[in-house]
Amino acid sequence: MALPLHMIQPAPAVAEPAPERLARSVGQVLVDSQVESVLEELDRDLVGLAPVKARIRDIAALLVIDKLRLNLGLTAQAPSLHMCFTGNPGTGKTTVAMRMAQILHRLGYVRKGHLVAVTRDDLVGQYIGHTAPKTREVLKKAMGGVLFIDEAYYLYRPENERDYGQEAIEILLQVMENQRDDLVVILAGYQDRMNTFFQSNPGMSSRIAHHLEFPDYSAEELQAIASKMLASQNYHLGDGGVQALERYLALRIAQPHFANARSVRNALDRARLRQASRLFADRDRELTAQDLTTIEPQDILASRVFQNDASLQ
């Protein structure tokens, strides 16, 4: 799913750490930076993703220890923080990238902590002389934060000799190496395609320090995600709604183009639309808060996913 260039997440307001002392313990760094709250939000707000969360904590631990080393005057090369997120659509890659930007900002590894999310179209031009200024403009917006490139493998199209993606890659490589203390780049996409991309671009592969694989959600995790989504909009499932959603997910997961949490969100949006149409049809009925907040089983079972489901016949 294309992510627009204007999807720029501003850095959250963070209290400045006390300037009068240098932290000497992990606990002090966590208190001063408030990084622990970001990690707690990651655990609380994102369902599943245990290996991803563990890796993010490992990276945060490395940065905290490096900060303590710096406070003691122990010289060390700044760690390479460019990353690759692989996984299917809807597995939380963009959300985790936002949290990563917050962690990097709070620990002082980037100046602003904002996220700029782009795709190939935001970087690559369509004629000679167009790509370089487009790419540099994106990099200018991202400086001091994190640049998230979704479906990054589309930057390289060897089958098209007139493609200008290689020019964008070369500019990115230069900036990733020379300005890595002011910009972190996260490449994202399907794992097999990213592997092919790295094989064709060894220079890019050598600059990526951290590879995080995002697993698909289980049916149980998708149910939990649906509950969170509904609760955030003051909705809930009525009697039999949980079972209807279970049946929906069992069928939808097996169909093409399933996009994990993204598909769940789309399904709930359509269920809300059916609920609204159902309530709208009964114009003289006085509606209660319960009516307006309940997604009934029929609002889910009316989905086209069930058209060939023998259990409904």
Side-chain angles (χ1 to χ4, degrees):
M1 176 178 173
L3 293 169
L5 174 58
H6 62 261
M7 182 181 172
I8 301 177
Q9 296 294 326
V14 181
E16 293 295 329
E20 64 273 7
R21 65 182 175 90
L22 292 176
R24 291 289 188 268
S25 71
V26 170
Q28 282 181 290
V29 175
L30 293 177
V31 169
D32 290 347
S33 64
Q34 301 178 40
V35 162
E36 193 72 41
S37 65
V38 180
L39 296 173
E40 289 172 355
E41 288 172 7
L42 196 65
D43 285 335
R44 183 180 65 250
D45 296 342
L46 285 182
V47 173
L49 299 180
V52 173
K53 293 174 181 177
R55 188 62 183 276
I56 293 297
R57 281 193 171 273
D58 288 343
I59 295 172
L62 172 66
L63 300 180
V64 169
I65 296 303
D66 275 1
K67 193 169 186 66
L68 289 171
R69 287 171 56 86
L70 181 64
N71 289 350
L72 289 172
L74 300 173
T75 58
Q77 185 177 8
S80 176
L81 296 170
H82 302 310
M83 306 176 192
C84 177
F85 290 178
T86 56
N88 290 323
T91 48
K93 296 185 291 294
T94 306
T95 301
V96 172
M98 293 177 187
R99 295 288 192 269
M100 196 71 241
Q102 293 175 8
I103 291 170
L104 294 171
H105 175 57
R106 294 187 181 196
L107 288 172
Y109 284 89
V110 293
R111 291 179 292 113
K112 299 178 182 178
H114 63 301
L115 180 83
V116 176
V118 300
T119 61
R120 170 193 163 90
D121 290 343
D122 300 305
L123 298 167
V124 181
Q126 299 180 6
Y127 52 85
I128 295 175
H130 191 206
T131 295
K134 284 189 73 171
T135 301
R136 291 195 175 100
E137 181 62 25
V138 168
L139 289 167
K140 181 179 178 181
K141 287 184 172 70
M143 280 299 168
V146 172
L147 175 63
F148 181 87
I149 307 176
D150 196 23
E151 298 181 313
Y153 34 76
Y154 285 134
L155 290 175
Y156 183 69
R157 290 179 172 172
E159 72 281 359
N160 185 354
E161 62 181 18
R162 297 184 62 184
D163 184 72
Y164 303 109
Q166 188 60 40
E167 184 179 1
I169 291 173
E170 291 171 0
I171 295 172
L172 283 168
L173 288 173
Q174 184 179 27
V175 172
M176 289 169 70
E177 182 64 27
N178 298 336
Q179 296 180 263
R180 62 181 185 175
D181 59 341
D182 198 34
L183 177 69
V184 171
V185 175
I186 299 178
L187 308 179
Y190 292 106
Q191 185 173 31
D192 56 343
R193 297 185 189 181
M194 289 305 303
N195 290 340
T196 302
F197 174 75
F198 286 133
Q199 290 171 5
S200 304
N201 296 273
M204 184 67 78
S205 179
S206 67
R207 285 167 174 78
I208 300 298
H210 305 283
H211 292 261
L212 282 73
E213 183 178 350
F214 287 65
D216 287 334
Y217 292 110
S218 67
E220 292 76 15
E221 289 170 340
L222 292 170
Q223 281 275 15
I225 289 169
S227 295
K228 282 180 173 287
M229 289 179 176
L230 288 171
S232 70
Q233 300 181 68
N234 289 313
Y235 282 93
H236 65 275
L237 296 173
D239 291 341
V242 171
Q243 292 76 13
L245 184 58
E246 285 177 353
R247 291 165 62 187
Y248 172 88
L249 289 172
L251 294 170
R252 183 66 184 90
I253 289 172
Q255 293 184 344
H257 311 299
F258 180 69
N260 288 279
R262 198 173 300 165
S263 290
V264 170
R265 183 185 64 226
N266 292 340
L268 295 179
D269 284 345
R270 288 190 289 271
R272 289 176 54 223
L273 186 67
R274 296 186 197 103
Q275 182 234 33
S277 295
R278 174 170 54 80
L279 297 177
F280 182 81
D282 195 354
R283 299 193 176 191
D284 297 325
R285 177 185 169 193
E286 185 173 328
L287 299 174
T288 66
Q290 181 74 5
D291 295 325
L292 296 170
T293 59
T294 302
I295 302 296
E296 298 291 357
Q298 63 262 39
D299 301 325
I300 298 171
L301 296 173
S303 169
R304 288 179 297 176
V305 169
F306 292 97
Q307 286 180 353
N308 298 320
D309 185 13
S311 67
L312 294 181
Q313 305 302 318

